[in-house]
Amino acid sequence: MLVRLADERATGALLRDHGTLYLSEGRVVHAESPVAPGIDTLLTTGGRLPRDGWQRAVDEAGARREVGRFLVDSGRIGGGELEICHLGALYDAAFFALAPGSGPTRFRYGVAHWIGPVRPVSAAAVERETLRRRELLDQVWPYPAVDTAPVTPRAPAPGQSVTRRQRALLELADGVRTPAAIAWALGRPAFHTLLEVRRLAAAGLVDTPPEPPPGTGTARPVLPAWIGEIAADPDIALLRRLRDALEASL
């Protein structure tokens, strides 16, 4: 449907259960998803823009659908920085909005987003990037249950280290917060958080959920039941054997 709307040079909102894509003359100009932190969160949580500065932009220019232009014209943010942040938010939300099996798809003609024009991208580019991201996640650790389950940390093996970004993520991993909740708390794109969680799971630093309950159905390989018996502090050799066994089962 996205391709057809692009061919028609349609303007409006493409609505799905996990997000919305906004089109202008067939090009994607914005995207939102309840899973992905929006451009407001990316700008304000990281401290780049005060919350009251963002709110004033919405109050002053939201009705005119020129929030992006107001931010730049008022000197609150540079045009290039806004484009980069906007594209990050757009591709992040589009990844979830275009997820397979995310419910019925509807299109409302003529609907525009209050952010206004920033940097439109082609529908083909959005589709291509979405597919690339799905493939990347599966290359890192092909167990999608990790993406929605609470993140539960595990003790590192002797000598095993994590990056600064991973450490910040693990500090919020309490067995209750999901990757999406952690992304919102950190003010980071949700996809990047999923990617880090899968890397941590592949390294044995967070739990991988067991196979889904009977009847849910999945085309993905399920995690072997014996993974739950691995000790909390595996050594590096054990992690390598685990990885080899998983790869052999795919």
Side-chain angles (χ1 to χ4, degrees):
M1 187 172 184
L2 179 61
V3 173
R4 177 173 62 80
L5 292 167
D7 292 340
E8 292 177 1
R9 297 179 62 84
T11 295
L14 181 67
L15 292 84
R16 306 196 77 204
D17 282 356
H18 296 309
T20 302
L21 272 64
Y22 294 86
L23 281 69
S24 177
E25 297 185 352
R27 293 170 67 81
V28 181
V29 294
H30 194 62
E32 291 180 331
S33 170
V35 180
I39 187 173
D40 57 331
T41 301
L42 298 181
L43 287 173
T44 60
T45 302
R48 178 59 189 85
L49 185 69
R51 170 59 66 177
D52 58 353
W54 172 266
Q55 190 58 52
R56 183 182 174 190
V58 174
D59 293 341
E60 294 282 342
R64 304 194 306 271
R65 299 183 179 88
E66 294 180 352
V67 171
R69 176 173 294 181
F70 181 91
L71 289 171
V72 175
D73 290 348
S74 63
R76 285 173 169 77
I77 191 171
E81 188 176 4
L82 177 64
E83 286 191 9
I84 292 172
C85 188
H86 177 259
L87 284 175
L90 187 158
Y91 281 118
D92 196 37
F95 173 79
F96 299 99
L98 297 176
S102 61
T105 301
R106 304 169 299 281
F107 189 73
R108 294 182 181 174
Y109 285 91
V111 176
H113 193 271
W114 45 260
I115 191 72
V118 179
R119 178 71 180 274
V121 294
S122 69
V126 171
E127 183 181 33
R128 184 167 57 248
E129 177 62 12
T130 297
L131 292 173
R132 185 192 72 84
R133 293 185 178 204
R134 285 191 205 130
E135 292 172 356
L136 179 58
L137 287 176
D138 283 347
Q139 289 169 6
V140 170
W141 192 240
Y143 298 97
V146 173
D147 299 343
T148 54
V151 183
T152 302
R154 302 181 67 181
Q160 197 172 15
S161 62
V162 296
T163 66
R164 184 173 62 178
R165 289 179 62 85
Q166 289 174 334
R167 188 176 303 111
L169 190 158
L170 286 170
E171 288 175 355
L172 294 177
D174 55 3
V176 176
R177 293 185 180 95
T178 63
I182 292 175
W184 279 88
L186 292 173
R188 294 180 184 175
F191 171 78
H192 294 170
T193 305
L194 293 187
L195 188 60
E196 290 294 355
V197 170
R198 290 218 194 186
R199 285 171 175 157
L200 290 167
L205 291 169
V206 302
D207 282 344
T208 296
E211 61 186 64
T216 57
T218 178
R220 301 286 188 183
V222 296
L223 195 67
W226 48 263
I227 193 171
E229 300 172 3
I230 299 297
D233 55 345
D235 59 23
I236 297 298
L238 181 56
L239 285 172
R240 288 178 178 149
R241 292 198 299 273
L242 173 60
R243 170 70 69 82
D244 292 342
L246 289 171
E247 291 179 346
S249 70
L250 299 179

